[in-house]
Amino acid sequence: IEDTLGWAYHKAGRNKDAIRVLKQSVERYPLVANQLHLGQVYLAIGDKDNALLVLDSAVNQAKAEKDEKMIAETQKWYQQAL
């Protein structure tokens, strides 16, 4: 639920709220998708340092899970953050 709420905040332009909620989501449920959303919001506000940290973690987790779709998606966003 937190991930969905955070993403809704982001889509509504409430990125400060989005980051707060998405960080909580990642702490409680460190799923690849949750990390990806947090990284995307960091990118949206121009915080490349935090985006790279979160997206690197997402890429590594996707690789560990052997989730090819998420590997491709997280790597795409990681490259955008470089």
Side-chain angles (χ1 to χ4, degrees):
I1 291 176
E2 289 170 326
D3 178 67
T4 302
L5 177 60
W7 195 246
Y9 280 146
H10 168 60
K11 290 297 192 178
R14 296 175 57 185
N15 288 320
K16 185 176 180 179
D17 291 323
I19 289 171
R20 178 182 48 80
V21 172
L22 288 169
K23 284 170 90 174
Q24 291 173 351
S25 177
V26 168
E27 288 172 9
R28 291 183 186 159
Y29 309 102
L31 304 172
V32 175
N34 295 357
Q35 294 176 65
L36 176 60
H37 285 159
L38 180 56
Q40 289 170 317
V41 176
Y42 277 133
L43 266 182
I45 65 167
D47 186 346
K48 289 188 174 191
D49 291 337
N50 278 317
L52 286 168
L53 287 172
V54 173
L55 292 168
D56 182 59
S57 177
V59 169
N60 289 328
Q61 186 172 340
K63 286 179 179 179
E65 295 174 3
K66 296 181 172 70
D67 184 337
E68 296 298 324
K69 181 180 176 185
M70 289 306 284
I71 291 169
E73 187 69 11
T74 54
Q75 284 179 331
K76 177 183 84 173
W77 284 95
Y78 183 86
Q79 289 299 315
Q80 289 183 31
L82 290 176

